[in-house]
Amino acid sequence: GSSSSQSCTDVAYQVHDTWMWWLWNWFRSFFYGPAVTLHDCMNALFSADELKGDNMYSCEKCNKLRNGVKFSRVLALPEMLCVHLKRFRHDLSYSSKISSPVIFPLTGLDMRQYLHKDCKSKVSTYDLTAIICHHGTVGSGHYICYAKHAPTEKW
């Protein structure tokens, strides 16, 4: 069988056997901690947030602070979806790289669960065609792009 999801560094080293994929993920999580999926990231972005306490919103009708719930949904999907994952954390006096592996599907990224009920987009599933990975630290490093060559289907 073939693996249906990968992380950034794995795109260059396509792992095709299911047991090898499982073993590689187990080995990597032992040293680097558990990986998260792209759906974990998307679920966090699209999850509902309670607005209360210091985070209350100001009601336009009564001009008072009110509790509420904030959430986002997609109204229209593009023909080509670009996803940018925040990989750097910047605090007041310190910056760091977020190095948790993110596992993502090579084919069939289904966006339906993030759509607004009024979304009229006909395409809601995407296949990976390219990825840009950062190698290095916050202060230095380089970016490498991996792209799929459509005629040969090779990375």
Side-chain angles (χ1 to χ4, degrees), residues 51-110:
L51 303 174
K52 59 184 182 180
D54 291 340
N55 217 11
M56 297 171 103
Y57 79 97
S58 179
C59 178
E60 294 175 6
K61 294 180 182 176
C62 66
N63 288 326
K64 293 184 179 179
L65 292 177
R66 300 285 185 192
N67 290 335
V69 176
K70 175 187 79 166
F71 64 94
S72 299
R73 292 290 177 258
V74 176
L75 282 173
L77 285 168
E79 184 178 329
M80 184 172 290
L81 180 68
C82 296
V83 177
H84 177 228
L85 298 177
K86 179 181 174 184
R87 303 302 286 172
F88 299 99
R89 180 179 294 120
H90 303 285
D91 296 320
L92 292 174
S93 62
Y94 181 73
S95 294
S96 61
K97 183 173 178 181
I98 301 169
S99 60
S100 304
V102 177
I103 306 300
F104 50 86
L106 294 176
T107 59
L109 173 63
D110 189 355

